[in-house]
Amino acid sequence: MDFKNNFSKITKSLSESASNVVQKSNELIAVSALNGEINDEEKKKDIIYIAIGKVVYNSFINKAELSEEIKQKCEAVLEHNEQIKIIMEKIINVKRIKKCPNCGTDMNISIKFCPDCGVMQKLIEDDNII
């Protein structure tokens, strides 16, 4: 009987470990996909920056006032920055981390006090603030 109990414990431990590996793998895949989205947004911003530069330079050469086109392109950059913020929040949710509101340190969502500045944290369990 003792052998069966030990074997059962080992089997359970292996099963839990495998489950953790699967969870971490899924987390890495999700974070990689979200990082890919951030890279796409950054590339879109770079294209807009180039277009802004051309318009500004041509305005400068022609001694003209800066146009509405420049304002629109700058607004488009701001929109991409907002998308990046949203995607970064998704990464934080996938990793199950939070940022200290006082110092910005990343930490596990279950930590009660910031390890860097010591500020008490709101506890988050299963997407509910406690």
Side-chain angles (χ1 to χ4, degrees), residues 2 6 9 13-14 19-20 28 36 43-44 51 59-60 72 75 85 88 95 101 112-113 117 122-123:
D2 197 30
N6 286 338
K9 288 178 184 178
S13 176
L14 288 173
S19 176
N20 287 339
L28 286 173
K43 287 176 185 174
K44 290 175 185 176
S59 295
F60 175 76
Q72 291 173 353
E75 287 172 5
K85 283 182 188 176
M88 290 176 92
K95 287 183 166 184
K112 294 181 183 181
F113 294 92
C117 69
K122 291 181 180 175
L123 287 180

Side-chain angles (χ1 to χ4, degrees), residues 30-74:
V31 169
S32 293
L34 293 169
N35 280 327
E37 289 182 38
I38 289 174
N39 288 336
D40 290 344
E41 293 296 323
E42 292 287 351
K43 287 176 185 174
K44 290 175 185 176
K45 282 177 31 181
D46 288 343
I47 291 168
I48 295 168
Y49 287 145
I50 291 169
I52 290 171
K54 287 179 182 178
V55 171
V56 170
Y57 183 74
N58 287 334
S59 295
F60 175 76
I61 294 297
N62 296 320
K63 300 188 186 321
E65 291 289 319
L66 296 180
S67 69
E68 186 65 29
E69 181 182 5
I70 292 173
K71 292 178 187 176
Q72 291 173 353
K73 292 192 181 305
C74 290

Side-chain angles (χ1 to χ4, degrees), residues 2-127:
D2 197 30
F3 176 76
K4 280 187 176 182
N5 284 340
N6 286 338
F7 186 75
S8 177
K9 288 178 184 178
I10 291 170
T11 303
K12 182 179 178 184
S13 176
L14 288 173
S15 176
E16 289 172 357
S17 295
S19 176
N20 287 339
V21 167
V22 168
Q23 181 181 355
K24 286 293 181 186
S25 295
N26 288 337
E27 179 183 305
L28 286 173
I29 290 168
V31 169
S32 293
L34 293 169
N35 280 327
E37 289 182 38
I38 289 174
N39 288 336
D40 290 344
E41 293 296 323
E42 292 287 351
K43 287 176 185 174
K44 290 175 185 176
K45 282 177 31 181
D46 288 343
I47 291 168
I48 295 168
Y49 287 145
I50 291 169
I52 290 171
K54 287 179 182 178
V55 171
V56 170
Y57 183 74
N58 287 334
S59 295
F60 175 76
I61 294 297
N62 296 320
K63 300 188 186 321
E65 291 289 319
L66 296 180
S67 69
E68 186 65 29
E69 181 182 5
I70 292 173
K71 292 178 187 176
Q72 291 173 353
K73 292 192 181 305
C74 290
E75 287 172 5
V77 170
L78 291 175
E79 289 174 15
H80 289 294
N81 284 338
E82 286 302 313
Q83 280 300 112
I84 289 170
K85 283 182 188 176
I86 291 168
I87 296 166
M88 290 176 92
E89 287 175 10
K90 289 179 182 179
I91 290 172
I92 287 172
N93 288 333
V94 168
K95 287 183 166 184
R96 311 260 318 140
I97 60 173
K98 63 183 174 185
K99 288 194 176 288
C100 175
N102 187 54
C103 70
T105 298
D106 289 345
M107 67 190 88
N108 187 288
I109 61 171
S110 64
I111 291 178
K112 294 181 183 181
F113 294 92
C114 177
D116 284 350
C117 69
V119 167
M120 187 172 173
Q121 305 293 305
K122 291 181 180 175
L123 287 180
I124 303 172
E125 288 184 8
D126 299 325
D127 300 325

